[in-house]
Amino acid sequence: MKQTVFETSRGARLKVSAMGFGAAPLGDLYERLDEAAALATVEAAYEASVTLFDASPHYGNGLAEARCAAVLRRFPREDFVFSTKVGRVMEPFAPVEKPRDDVVAPGFAGGFPHRARIDYSYDGTMRAVEQSLLRTGFDRIDVLLIHDVDVWTHGADYERRYGEAMEGAYRALDELRRTGFTKAIGVGINEADVASRFLREGDFDVVLLAGRYSLLEQPALTEFLPLALEKKVGVLLGGVFNSGILATGPVEGAKFNYAPAPEDVMERVRRIKAVCVRHGVGLRSAALAFAAAHPAVISVVIGAVRPEEVRFNAADMAADVPSALWADLKREGLLAEGAPTPA
């Protein structure tokens, strides 16, 4: 698998695979997973030459971090880049909180029985990092991201949380970067405009953007991705299947942004898939090739819950896609005219 050596503005080097491993599903996102299968999935990713593993305390209240690390600790530490996030502190003595119904961010079907408390303060960030180290057994974390400071997650409380994050979490992560504990800091976020705001107001190395730049929608193309190029920020793209529909196709029950896909989205995907079929290309392969083609993108982060899914993802990532497919998608108004496509 292709590897990219990304150098931050401070000279730190991160060797990341074109396809990263997204651990959100390992936190029992949609269903409670078999433990052995979950661990085998992480091992399959490592065996497929994946070098970037992205987790978060949010994913199953720490379960995804623990599952990833249970496997990765078997291998030399310099063989992989481990990314995790701050913004939630676990409280093991408190009951698990039910997901809110006024925001879009998903809850989890399982995970550790610990209550997550949102905390973007300096002290809360340091505590979150400490808890991640205890769950993983690592002595350092390569990439630390401020997680979910957006309207998607916080609704009307977004502005207050953004201020808290810049005053507290950003200051803590910058300190950890200066001391060498972490190589890169950034944000993990669901909204392109908020990602742009962070880049304008802080000094970040990477951004993990979920769902806002895909074969289905490209709002990040207008401001965020050009800004990332200008500031030499490495972009990790998550959610390139829009939480399901670009992987499954427009089937009954297909998910879009963690909810059943509306009919207009289903119809657009039908049209995209029809173009792919004409060119003999799988929808998944087209989605991955498109996401990886933007010059700001250093890795496309994809989840899996079974070893065979990792192998399928790697094969789809390596598939050839003819340039005529992109031309047809643009001609039919299904792809932004200015979107970079594979050479």
Side-chain angles (χ1 to χ4, degrees):
M1 183 178 298
K2 180 183 176 183
Q3 306 284 325
T4 297
V5 177
F6 172 70
E7 187 168 337
T8 72
S9 61
R10 286 171 169 75
R13 293 163 67 86
L14 297 171
K15 185 178 180 180
V16 297
S17 45
M19 183 182 85
F21 181 83
L26 294 192
D28 294 345
L29 178 56
Y30 294 120
E31 60 181 338
R32 294 179 183 271
L33 303 179
D34 173 77
E35 185 76 4
L39 299 184
T41 302
V42 180
E43 186 167 6
Y46 181 87
E47 290 174 349
S49 299
V50 170
T51 55
L52 172 67
F53 293 81
D54 176 72
S56 169
H58 178 46
Y59 306 155
N61 295 340
L63 178 58
E65 285 184 325
R67 281 174 164 164
C68 279
V71 175
L72 295 177
R73 283 197 306 270
R74 304 177 200 163
F75 306 116
R77 184 63 183 83
E78 62 272 15
D79 280 5
F80 60 89
V81 170
F82 185 74
S83 167
T84 194
K85 305 180 182 75
V86 300
R88 291 174 174 87
V89 175
M90 296 304 134
E91 298 181 338
F93 296 108
V96 176
E97 187 176 23
K98 293 182 179 179
R100 290 167 53 185
D101 59 7
D102 61 333
V103 294
V104 186
F108 285 77
F112 287 151
H114 303 160
R115 184 168 186 156
R117 174 172 54 82
I118 297 289
D119 191 339
Y120 295 109
S121 69
Y122 177 94
D123 289 342
T125 298
M126 290 300 196
R127 187 175 176 194
V129 173
E130 179 184 40
Q131 290 182 345
S132 291
L133 291 174
L134 291 171
R135 280 189 291 267
T136 61
F138 297 151
D139 63 349
R140 70 180 189 275
I141 295 171
D142 302 296
V143 180
L144 281 168
L145 305 174
I146 305 172
H147 200 191
D148 284 346
V149 186
D150 47 31
V151 178
W152 173 286
T153 305
H154 299 295
D157 206 25
Y158 155 68
E159 281 292 343
R160 181 177 71 86
R161 290 300 190 182
Y162 181 87
E164 181 184 26
M166 288 301 293
E167 174 63 28
Y170 173 55
R171 186 163 55 91
L173 295 192
D174 187 41
E175 182 178 306
L176 292 172
R177 177 174 57 181
R178 288 199 309 270
T179 63
F181 170 80
T182 189
K183 292 181 178 180
I185 68 171
V187 295
I189 211 152
N190 297 287
E191 295 166 2
D193 56 339
V194 178
S196 296
R197 182 179 181 183
F198 271 109
L199 292 194
R200 289 193 302 268
E201 298 181 12
D203 178 15
F204 296 99
D205 306 299
V206 295
V207 170
L208 173 55
L209 181 68
R212 303 287 75 80
Y213 189 73
S214 72
L215 192 60
L216 181 57
E217 55 174 334
Q218 299 94 46
L221 190 61
T222 304
E223 180 185 19
F224 168 68
L225 288 169
L227 188 60
L229 280 175
E230 176 189 330
K231 292 182 171 291
K232 297 181 172 57
V233 169
V235 175
L236 312 174
L237 280 184
V240 297
F241 297 137
N242 287 108
S243 78
I245 194 166
L246 288 179
T248 63
V251 299
E252 184 178 354
K255 292 283 199 307
F256 172 70
N257 290 347
Y258 305 102
E263 180 53 34
D264 62 324
V265 170
M266 294 280 276
E267 178 57 25
R268 188 174 182 85
V269 175
R270 289 188 194 104
R271 294 179 61 200
I272 293 172
K273 183 176 180 180
V275 175
C276 291
V277 169
R278 289 206 306 267
H279 290 276
V281 175
L283 181 62
R284 291 164 52 92
S285 294
L288 291 169
F290 173 75
H294 197 284
V297 174
I298 61 174
S299 187
V300 178
V301 181
I302 314 169
V305 295
R306 294 184 299 277
E308 57 267 30
E309 283 187 60
V310 173
R311 292 188 279 271
F312 292 151
N313 288 338
D316 287 336
M317 191 87 187
D320 290 328
V321 180
S323 58
L325 181 144
W326 312 116
D328 283 355
L329 287 173
K330 290 183 178 182
R331 187 179 303 113
E332 295 188 23
L334 296 170
L335 193 59
E337 190 62 37
T341 53

